[in-house]
Amino acid sequence: MFQAKTYIERRKVLAEKVGSGLILLFGNDESSMNYADNTYHFRQDSTFLYYFGIQHPGLAAVIDVDNQREIIFGNDYTIDDIVWMGPQPTIAERAESCGVSNVLPLNRLSSVASKTSRIHFLPLYRPENKIKLLELIDVAPKDVANTFSLDLVKAVVSQREFKSDEEIVQLHQAVDVSVDMHVAGMKFTRPGMTEAQVCAEIHKVALAAGGNISFPIIATINGQTLHNHYHGNTIKEGELFLIDAGYENTMSYSGDLSSTIPVSAKFTSEQKDIYEITLASHQAAVDALEFGKAFKNAHIAACTTIFDGLKALGFTKGNAMDAFEAGAHALFFPCGTGHMMGLDVHDMEDLGEVWVGYDGQPKSKQFGLKSLRLAKPLQAGHVFTIEPGIYFIPELIDLWRGQNKFNDFINWDKVDSYRNFGGIRNEEDFVMTKEGVKLLGKAKPKTIKEVEALRT
Ligand code: GLY
Ligand code: MN
């Protein structure tokens, strides 16, 4: 973890921003798979990590703004726990490491919480924490979404969105290992293997680096399915193979990269043509990133570059900006150009995209644009991904063609002839600075020449 002063300062700022009342933050518990003691990989809550840095299950904390008191609640290991799981620092020792001097057993949380009229809590996502809230202050799980503290959400977002220098060091390291994961997968993939074998090769790099994956690995011949977690297919000559994977380091900072490779040694000429358009849209998005200017500009640049690139190949027709406004580009690119990244791979998504990515402004409801997670002006310390792609989704092609949708923008016969093409995405991670945008981590191979060089 960082030094205690980092967490002390973060909590001081949070208390000032929230102003009054009691801030209640839950850590995460172990989560069981098929019986109580058989648990998933433990992942601490990111906001809890941000303010307390403690990677340990079963904790809660309060910041009593009115009385300027901070308490961490948790139970020390019993001798039975120690026999099975080994000795552990005490809760008091853990609390000291983040500058908190008061600790109490978990069952004392109710007595502290019941004395306060205004309790600020976040929009909880874990059922067990919702149940704890119910027991503590009688808020039913179904009511959490309408009763969480917007003041607390806004205060947390306003701190976590700006990555400090020490966080940027962590993010560079997380992306560096993410690049290693991709290069391993890009070199390893061969016809005749299953997707699962490639997935294991990529995951191995993350585990060997001491951390883990930042989200379930996507390693697929069906890159047109945006979040494809099925790994049962056998990989064949001539196919495209899409990898979307990232490292989460020991401090829980994420990387998030995507690559697309030919299964054969070289791309076919059809694959090259579409690949070059995705690279051009990637570069257009990066070129549109300006300090103080909206991230949405990068999205518009990516979408219109895809539309114009596909127009040159005969897939589309008409004006790219008109097509973007109508939503026609979303036939090929039905999602967003990027999202914030930090302690979560989709940073703070649990706190609400409208606060994280839109400064509270309403999001578009249009198909495609509604999936853009980040649109607001970029400031120094904002960390985000750039990940435009081109996807041929047979079900979407059939649906929209059947509805005679976008006949002014789409050459349906040409599109239909590519219905089994698959999908291509490249993704990199960036930080905005006052001097402009900077790539996080080392460069990942992405030009056709660089990718094919790894395939020999
Ligand atoms: N890399 C997964 C995602 O951005 O959704
Ligand atoms: Mn991403």
Side-chain angles (χ1 to χ4, degrees):
M1 58 195 287
F2 297 123
Q3 286 183 2
K5 64 176 194 242
T6 292
Y7 303 101
I8 292 168
E9 178 62 22
R10 287 173 178 175
R11 294 193 301 268
K12 182 167 158 277
V13 172
L14 180 67
E16 280 163 13
K17 282 177 183 270
V18 172
S20 65
L22 191 92
I23 299 168
L24 170 62
L25 296 169
F26 289 110
N28 281 339
D29 291 337
E30 294 281 14
S31 189
S32 300
M33 290 191 285
N34 50 342
Y35 54 89
D37 283 349
N38 209 20
T39 54
Y40 292 103
H41 165 71
F42 172 70
R43 179 53 160 82
Q44 184 57 289
D45 174 74
S46 297
T47 297
F48 194 88
L49 272 180
Y50 184 80
Y51 292 107
F52 300 96
I54 307 175
Q55 301 268 16
H56 188 68
L59 303 176
V62 298
I63 301 171
D64 182 344
V65 181
D66 303 329
N67 299 301
Q68 295 174 352
R69 206 161 69 117
E70 300 168 332
I71 310 170
I72 290 181
F73 296 84
N75 296 335
D76 281 319
Y77 269 24
T78 64
I79 189 63
D80 284 295
D81 296 328
I82 292 167
V83 166
W84 288 95
M85 290 174 293
Q88 294 287 326
T90 61
I91 304 297
E93 285 163 346
R94 292 187 189 280
E96 196 190 336
S97 66
C98 66
V100 173
S101 48
N102 301 306
V103 294
L104 285 172
L106 215 45
N107 64 9
R108 293 287 307 282
L109 182 55
S110 56
S111 60
V112 174
S114 64
K115 287 202 195 96
T116 312
S117 53
R118 178 73 172 110
I119 297 186
H120 299 271
F121 56 89
L122 294 171
L124 306 172
Y125 55 92
R126 290 246 179 150
E128 51 272 29
N129 282 339
K130 291 186 186 179
I131 292 168
K132 281 185 217 156
L133 194 72
L134 172 68
E135 289 171 351
L136 213 53
I137 54 170
D138 207 22
V139 172
K142 68 176 173 42
D143 295 328
V144 170
N146 349 310
T147 51
F148 69 84
S149 165
L150 199 49
D151 290 342
L152 180 58
V153 165
K154 288 193 212 170
V156 171
V157 171
S158 74
Q159 288 185 269
R160 281 185 57 190
E161 70 176 315
F162 299 112
K163 276 60 182 179
S164 65
D165 290 348
E166 61 185 353
E167 290 185 287
I168 296 294
V169 170
Q170 295 297 320
L171 285 157
H172 274 293
Q173 193 263 343
V175 180
D176 276 344
V177 178
S178 304
V179 172
D180 294 341
M181 292 162 69
H182 277 254
V183 170
M186 292 163 94
K187 283 184 175 165
F188 181 77
T189 307
R190 287 287 176 272
M193 288 177 177
T194 62
E195 294 161 325
Q197 285 174 281
V198 182
C199 191
E201 190 69 15
I202 296 167
H203 201 151
K204 185 173 91 177
V205 177
L207 293 174
N212 211 321
I213 47 177
S214 53
F215 59 95
I217 292 172
I218 297 166
T220 179
I221 55 172
N222 289 312
Q224 76 282 3
T225 303
L226 301 177
H227 280 180
N228 195 339
H229 295 137
Y230 178 73
H231 296 139
N233 293 304
T234 298
I235 303 162
K236 295 192 288 299
E237 283 293 351
E239 289 176 328
L240 287 169
F241 193 78
L242 189 148
I243 299 169
D244 186 346
Y247 180 60
E248 180 175 285
N249 77 3
T250 52
M251 295 273 290
S252 295
Y253 285 89
S254 295
D256 182 10
L257 303 171
S258 300
S259 310
T260 309
I261 59 169
V263 173
S264 303
K266 304 239 176 258
F267 288 102
T268 65
S269 70
E270 289 81 8
Q271 289 169 346
K272 263 189 195 164
D273 287 345
I274 305 289
Y275 192 94
E276 288 289 12
I277 301 170
T278 62
L279 278 191
S281 72
H282 192 94
Q283 193 55 47
V286 174
D287 292 345
L289 296 167
E290 270 185 81
F291 175 77
K293 298 280 167 56
F295 185 86
K296 191 175 172 189
N297 296 343
H299 184 63
I300 295 170
C303 295
T304 51
T305 304
I306 287 171
F307 191 87
D308 279 336
L310 291 174
K311 189 157 86 176
L313 297 179
F315 291 94
T316 58
K317 54 192 172 186
N319 177 275
M321 201 57 207
D322 293 345
F324 172 76
E325 272 159 16
H329 70 283
L331 178 67
F332 309 100
F333 181 32
C335 50
T337 294
H339 52 83
M340 290 266 196
M341 191 182 81
L343 281 167
D344 304 300
V345 65
H346 290 176
D347 209 24
M348 301 176 278
E349 198 162 282
D350 57 318
L351 304 183
E353 256 170 27
V354 76
W355 298 109
V356 178
Y358 286 77
D359 277 340
Q361 301 301 310
K363 284 182 70 179
S364 169
K365 293 192 166 57
Q366 187 186 58
F367 181 85
L369 195 53
K370 72 177 178 188
S371 301
L372 178 63
R373 301 176 205 274
L374 174 60
K376 70 186 185 182
L378 295 171
Q379 306 296 341
H382 280 162
V383 165
F384 48 85
T385 67
I386 291 290
E387 52 178 305
I390 297 180
Y391 310 99
F392 288 85
I393 304 168
E395 296 78 4
L396 187 60
I397 294 169
D398 291 343
L399 180 71
W400 283 8
R401 189 175 199 184
Q403 293 171 338
N404 282 314
K405 217 169 162 170
F406 300 131
N407 288 346
D408 294 344
F409 293 115
I410 309 289
N411 291 323
W412 286 109
D413 286 341
K414 175 80 177 177
V415 171
D416 197 44
S417 71
Y418 272 60
R419 62 188 290 115
N420 296 319
F421 180 86
I424 296 178
R425 168 164 75 253
N426 271 292
E427 178 177 15
E428 292 178 315
D429 307 323
F430 295 89
V431 56
M432 181 53 76
T433 72
K434 288 203 176 103
E435 294 76 46
V437 74
K438 294 205 161 71
L439 183 71
L440 280 171
K442 56 193 175 188
K444 181 181 75 68
K446 68 173 193 270
T447 65
I448 286 178
K449 204 168 150 207
E450 287 164 349
V451 172
E452 288 185 345
L454 292 176
R455 302 294 303 140
T456 52

